Amino acid sequence: MTEPPSSSSSWQEQRRAAAEGLADAAARKRAAEAEQAAALLREFAAQARSRGLRTAQLAARGHDGRSTYRTGVEGWYLRRNHTLGVGLDGAFYVLTVPGGLRARFRGVELAASDPPLVVGAGGRDGESIALPELIALRLAAGDDW
């Protein structure tokens, strides 16, 4: 026996509403985590300045891993492999870019990204670290990073 069409469309509407609710909740959670992480990075920038940590003109690497490009952003590298950086204002930058010939001569323009509370989450084993822990390591290392 077949269901009446209205029952099927009602079920689809309920499923769609449930999926939208889950997506909205996930987006709110990501936004709250990004704001918490951004506050941690602003505090890191303030502490790095007060401790006199040396800043650098951050360089981005191409996806090939060999080429580097000027960014015009001054700040601190957050990871030892120079794939993440923090600007003087505490903005978070992913320092991996597509690159190319034009970027080689002109540099690249970075856009700040929403920072995660866990850096490297979803990556290979041993590559994820909680942002507060990474910040503590970075500050403890001083200019030897």
Side-chain angles (χ1 to χ4, degrees):
M1 189 164 184
T2 61
E3 295 280 331
S6 63
S7 175
S8 176
S9 67
S10 173
W11 179 83
Q12 289 174 342
E13 289 172 13
Q14 289 175 355
R15 296 302 309 148
R16 187 178 0 265
E20 288 173 358
L22 289 174
D24 289 345
R28 284 192 303 274
K29 181 180 177 186
R30 278 191 307 273
E33 287 179 357
E35 183 52 43
Q36 185 180 355
L40 290 169
L41 291 175
R42 287 189 299 271
E43 178 62 27
F44 163 77
Q47 286 185 24
R49 275 192 305 276
S50 71
R51 293 180 183 198
L53 265 61
R54 186 175 53 242
T55 61
Q57 288 293 321
L58 301 179
R61 289 193 180 206
H63 290 301
D64 64 7
R66 293 178 296 203
S67 303
T68 57
Y69 304 97
R70 290 173 285 120
T71 66
V73 175
E74 186 173 350
W76 303 271
Y77 290 105
L78 195 55
R79 294 198 82 155
R80 286 189 188 271
N81 65 3
H82 294 189
T83 55
L84 300 176
V86 178
L88 296 176
D89 59 353
F92 178 76
Y93 295 98
V94 176
L95 300 172
T96 306
V97 297
L101 188 59
R102 176 178 283 184
R104 194 75 165 138
F105 293 104
R106 293 186 177 185
V108 294
E109 189 170 322
L110 291 178
S113 300
D114 285 339
L117 277 177
V118 178
V119 175
R124 294 183 292 202
D125 287 344
E127 289 190 356
S128 64
I129 185 170
L131 184 60
E133 186 179 342
L134 180 60
I135 288 171
L137 289 171
R138 177 62 183 94
L139 287 171
D143 287 336
D144 294 331
W145 193 251

